[in-house]
Amino acid sequence: MVSPSAKIGMWCDIHQGVNIGSNNSQHGGSLVPTIGSNVWIGPGAKIFGKIIIEDEVQIAANAVINKDVTSNKTLGGVPAKIISETGTENVDVAASKYRMLKFIELNPQYEHYFNI
């Protein structure tokens, strides 16, 4: 389930069973995650609350994320902790920067859609 209020960047790879949810604020609003581009989210991961996950992050299967995550990190566990200082930048997954740049190279007419 993905909250309709969540903000998700480009080229994210979201696997089955992932929950990107919200918390309720004291004033009745929703507190939802903002997820950057080139993020790989493993099966069963839970991401919730008003947090920011920056670009090129890998999230292990079944990890629970409830705090901000800076770019180029790999996280795993419950609650999630940084397990590597490298993210998706050099990994050949659907959410990789390499694939995004290759796509732009093959389809230059779409370059203006990318914030690179």
Side-chain angles (χ1 to χ4, degrees), residues 1-105:
M1 181 192 126
V2 177
S3 170
S5 301
K7 295 174 180 77
I8 301 174
M10 297 185 315
W11 299 91
C12 289
D13 195 351
I14 302 172
H15 287 258
Q16 69 276 8
V18 170
N19 187 334
I20 301 174
S22 64
N23 286 339
N24 294 323
S25 75
Q26 294 176 340
H27 306 291
S30 287
L31 305 173
V32 296
T34 298
I35 299 173
S37 297
N38 303 314
V39 175
W40 186 91
I41 304 172
K46 299 347 179 227
I47 303 168
F48 59 92
K50 187 176 176 153
I51 61 171
I52 297 172
I53 297 174
E54 293 182 1
D55 299 337
E56 296 163 358
V57 170
Q58 293 185 92
I59 299 171
N62 298 313
V64 176
I65 313 290
N66 61 358
K67 295 189 181 194
D68 293 345
V69 180
T70 58
S71 293
N72 290 307
K73 302 287 186 276
T74 298
L75 291 97
V78 179
K81 295 184 179 3
I82 296 171
I83 57 176
S84 174
E85 294 291 331
T86 57
T88 62
E89 185 171 322
N90 296 315
V91 179
D92 192 15
V93 297
S96 72
K97 189 170 192 176
Y98 168 79
R99 285 199 180 178
M100 179 183 69
L101 294 173
K102 190 69 167 169
F103 175 84
I104 293 169
E105 181 181 314

